[in-house]
Amino acid sequence: MDTLDSRRATVRTRIDTLRQAMARTGLAAVIVPSSDPHLSEYLPDRWKGREWLSGFTGSVGTLVVTREAAGVWVDSRYWTQAEVQLAGTGVDLMKLPGTASLAHIEWLATTLKRGDTVAVDGTVLALAAGRALETALTARGIRVRTDLDILSEVWPDRASLPIPPIYEHVPPYATIPRSAKLSAVREDMRKAAATHHFISTLDDIAWLTNLRGADVSYNPVFVAHLLLDARSARLFVADGKIENGLKARLAADGIEVAPYTQAAAALAALPPAATLLVDPRRAKRLAHRMRQ
């Protein structure tokens, strides 16, 4: 078997494994977007599930797998590439007419039956896309699950969270202290009558905290969430990424370092009277789902 045939066989095996997991979980379909919980343009390896399952390496595309079919929806920038990489894998090329098309949702709405269930990892689903998905499918009697990350079950060597250390961005390159930046954000929170603000976009977090990292290709950012209130902040990052001296300097500016996996629990624990500010243009469904 040559390299190309081996790659195609690997994709077919992975799709079959996913379908077996779908059957155990009672799913009729799974959606795998090209996204992570941070709206990153360049994905850390942990969230390259669409590429791992389908073999399509383009930067944008949506994989949908049902019991009988599988397809990757891509716009015209990727048609030639996808045609070559998907050939012989059992995954079809689904051509999108434009970059903002939600044709995969329309396809699911007409392909699935009333009573079927579709799963997508809610932590990587954009707010607008999540609303469009639920609106279209629930109207057809199709259930949408966003509480299940089925990739964790079928991807045995899935990458962990990135581990490169986080370092400080200091003067003269950092011209504004993070304390001043935090104060400016809190003033806007006050104007919006928000008690808390949740940020997941990595460039925003890096700028606001005057920190840098090497978790994402081509960008000096790090994987994190940030939760602010009127006086303090919690920075959720993987364990071991921030050394003790930097932790102390962050604490002096009111920033507590917490484990990355505790972000959901922190949002769920907000008091009933809290008003959480989330920019829907800069947020994944993660924030919405954790507050339900």
Side-chain angles (χ1 to χ4, degrees):
M1 181 182 295
D2 62 22
T3 301
L4 182 58
D5 286 340
S6 177
R7 185 186 63 79
R8 290 168 174 168
T10 297
V11 170
R12 290 193 295 268
T13 298
R14 290 173 178 174
I15 295 294
D16 287 344
T17 301
L18 176 62
R19 287 189 172 121
Q20 293 168 19
M22 290 164 54
R24 290 192 296 270
T25 317
L27 301 176
V30 169
I31 303 172
V32 186
S34 301
S35 59
D36 70 358
H38 307 279
L39 285 172
S40 302
E41 180 179 2
Y42 303 99
L43 302 182
D45 288 343
R46 178 171 180 78
W47 288 286
K48 293 182 179 179
R50 184 266 300 152
E51 177 179 330
W52 181 81
L53 275 167
S54 70
F56 170 62
T57 61
S59 59
V60 179
T62 300
L63 171 66
V64 176
V65 179
T66 69
R67 299 183 186 102
E68 295 85 19
V72 173
W73 275 254
V74 294
D75 63 64
S76 59
R77 294 172 295 173
Y78 301 96
W79 288 353
T80 300
Q81 177 185 354
E83 185 174 19
V84 172
Q85 292 183 324
L86 298 178
T89 64
V91 180
D92 295 326
L93 164 61
M94 310 296 284
K95 295 182 177 181
L96 290 175
T99 58
S101 173
L102 296 177
H104 67 284
I105 297 178
E106 299 168 3
W107 183 87
L108 280 168
T110 57
T111 300
L112 299 183
K113 304 187 301 293
R114 181 173 293 274
D116 281 344
T117 300
V118 177
V120 57
D121 180 5
T123 66
V124 303
L125 188 63
L127 287 171
R131 290 167 181 159
L133 180 68
E134 289 189 338
T135 298
L137 297 189
T138 55
R140 299 290 187 102
I142 300 167
R143 181 188 178 201
V144 178
R145 286 191 64 178
T146 59
D147 61 337
L148 180 64
D149 179 11
I150 200 167
L151 283 177
S152 295
E153 181 177 345
V154 303
W155 193 353
D157 56 349
R158 186 178 188 181
S160 60
L161 290 171
I163 61 173
I166 294 169
Y167 57 95
E168 199 159 14
H169 189 57
V170 297
Y173 309 104
T175 58
I176 304 174
R178 63 176 152 257
S179 58
K181 294 177 179 179
L182 290 166
S183 294
V185 171
R186 289 187 172 113
E187 175 60 20
D188 281 347
M189 288 169 57
R190 185 192 64 78
K191 293 177 181 177
T195 61
H196 296 77
H197 183 26
F198 185 68
I199 307 171
S200 288
T201 41
L202 305 187
D203 53 342
D204 291 331
I205 295 173
W207 177 85
L208 185 56
T209 60
N210 281 350
L211 299 176
R212 298 293 186 268
D215 290 356
V216 180
S217 299
Y218 317 115
N219 295 273
V221 297
F222 53 94
V223 171
H225 299 290
L226 184 66
L227 178 63
L228 281 75
D229 61 26
R231 296 181 180 83
S232 63
R234 271 178 285 179
L235 180 65
F236 300 93
V237 296
D239 293 338
K241 291 178 68 68
I242 300 182
E243 52 89 14
N244 289 335
L246 180 51
K247 280 185 181 179
R249 294 192 293 277
L250 291 171
D253 286 325
I255 301 176
E256 171 194 356
V257 176
Y260 180 84
T261 55
Q262 291 185 6
L267 283 176
L270 291 179
T275 300
L276 180 65
L277 176 64
V278 177
D279 184 348
R281 300 165 302 176
R282 304 281 288 166
K284 287 292 184 183
R285 192 171 173 80
L286 172 68
H288 174 74
R289 185 167 66 86
M290 287 191 294
R291 285 290 290 143
Q292 289 181 327

